[in-house]
Amino acid sequence: MADTAQAALAARGVSKSFSGFLALDNLSMEIARGTIHAVIGPNGAGKSTFLGVLSGFVKPTSGSVLFNDRDITGLAPSDVAQLGIVRSFQINSIFPHMTALDNVKVALQARTHLSRRILASRSVTAVLDDPARAALSVAGLDNERDTLAGTLPYGKKRALELAIAISQEPAVLLLDEPTAGMGSEDIEPTIALISKVRDGRTVVLVEHNLRVVEHLCDCVTVLERGTVLTEGTYAEVRNDPRVVDAYLGGAKK
């Protein structure tokens, strides 16, 4: 577990029930500042619910969430994002009939006085062009700025989502299954992109692909039935008999 003084995010005794189902059970975890921290576990372990609690999309039944020692429990997702905690989702959350550039500009606009003017003219939103282009460039999408987002290949759609997230200049980036549904040809570029955007920020990564976890993560927490089973480096976790049994189906991979 991270040194509390170095923690960017901390969950303390967090529980969450859905209609009697206990998705998170008195879960405590600390995410060290400046690290990539993976949260893994079998289906139903509570991984996405945990990201939801951290980002404000899920209200915990009990317990608290701290960001830089500030209690942010129960804040609305928009308020959490304004503080610098930005989440991506498993399912594409882009506007398919808008260009890649305009998708990023909409996200940037939400953080300005123009946020209520969705139909603001291009001349009004032109001030957002440069930061939007910069985010697309980081994501390797320079050549797709004017492409309709819905026509992008799947891997580039996920890269666009990451560009949208980093355009917000988050201190903490929450990534929910960033390689889900990808072919092998897209996984290595995604690993490289996440490595690139980690500079100066903390990343919490929910991921089923253990090769991605091995290449990227400084610390790995394994969840089982809504609580922490074990935590450590990838090598430590991979060789833990409890993980082999609960997560890897009884055989190392």
Side-chain angles (χ1 to χ4, degrees):
M1 186 165 289
D3 180 350
T4 303
Q6 300 300 318
L9 274 175
R12 295 183 177 170
V14 170
S15 294
K16 177 61 184 179
S17 295
F18 295 99
S19 301
F21 171 71
L22 191 59
L24 297 176
D25 183 7
N26 195 32
L27 186 153
S28 293
M29 188 188 311
E30 292 176 355
I31 311 296
R33 188 174 292 105
T35 64
I36 299 183
H37 191 126
V39 180
I40 68 172
N43 290 333
K47 304 181 299 296
S48 291
T49 300
F50 179 60
L51 283 196
V53 169
L54 294 181
S55 56
F57 285 92
V58 175
K59 306 303 181 194
T61 305
S62 60
S64 59
V65 176
L66 279 69
F67 173 51
N68 292 331
D69 292 328
R70 171 182 173 178
D71 192 335
I72 62 170
T73 312
L75 288 184
S78 58
D79 293 328
V80 173
Q82 288 287 345
L83 289 174
I85 303 171
V86 174
R87 178 184 178 181
S88 74
F89 293 84
Q90 292 183 36
I91 302 171
N92 285 331
S93 54
I94 58 177
F95 296 105
H97 302 299
M98 298 176 67
T99 67
L101 181 67
D102 284 339
N103 265 272
V104 180
K105 287 177 66 175
V106 166
L108 288 168
Q109 183 177 328
R111 297 175 63 87
T112 73
H113 67 283
L114 301 172
S115 59
R116 297 180 183 274
R117 300 179 59 186
I118 297 299
L119 299 179
S121 68
R122 286 188 175 276
S123 62
V124 171
T125 62
V127 67
L128 305 176
D129 283 351
D130 285 348
R133 290 190 182 109
L136 289 171
S137 181
V138 170
L141 296 173
D142 284 308
N143 295 329
E144 286 80 17
R145 289 185 307 207
D146 299 320
T147 302
L148 291 179
T151 68
L152 291 169
Y154 183 74
K156 290 193 174 183
K157 287 177 181 174
R158 300 310 300 259
L160 174 57
E161 290 178 319
L162 196 51
I164 291 168
I166 63 176
S167 74
Q168 309 301 299
E169 300 184 353
V172 178
L173 189 56
L174 308 177
L175 302 180
D176 196 357
E177 306 260 6
T179 67
M182 284 187 179
S184 57
E185 70 280 0
D186 290 322
I187 290 176
E188 289 300 329
T190 301
I191 290 173
L193 178 54
I194 295 172
S195 295
K196 183 178 181 181
V197 304
R198 73 172 295 177
D199 288 347
R201 56 177 54 96
T202 303
V203 179
V204 183
L205 175 75
V206 166
E207 181 58 62
H208 273 106
N209 189 320
L210 296 186
R211 182 162 62 91
V212 175
V213 173
E214 179 181 16
H215 280 280
L216 283 174
C217 298
D218 304 297
C219 184
V220 181
T221 299
V222 183
L223 298 188
E224 183 183 31
R225 298 178 182 177
T227 193
V228 175
L229 177 65
T230 189
E231 184 175 277
T233 65
Y234 175 79
E236 290 168 342
V237 165
R238 181 179 181 274
N239 290 293
D240 189 312
R242 295 169 298 172
V243 178
V244 174
D245 182 58
Y247 183 69
L248 300 179
K252 294 180 187 177
K253 296 182 180 180

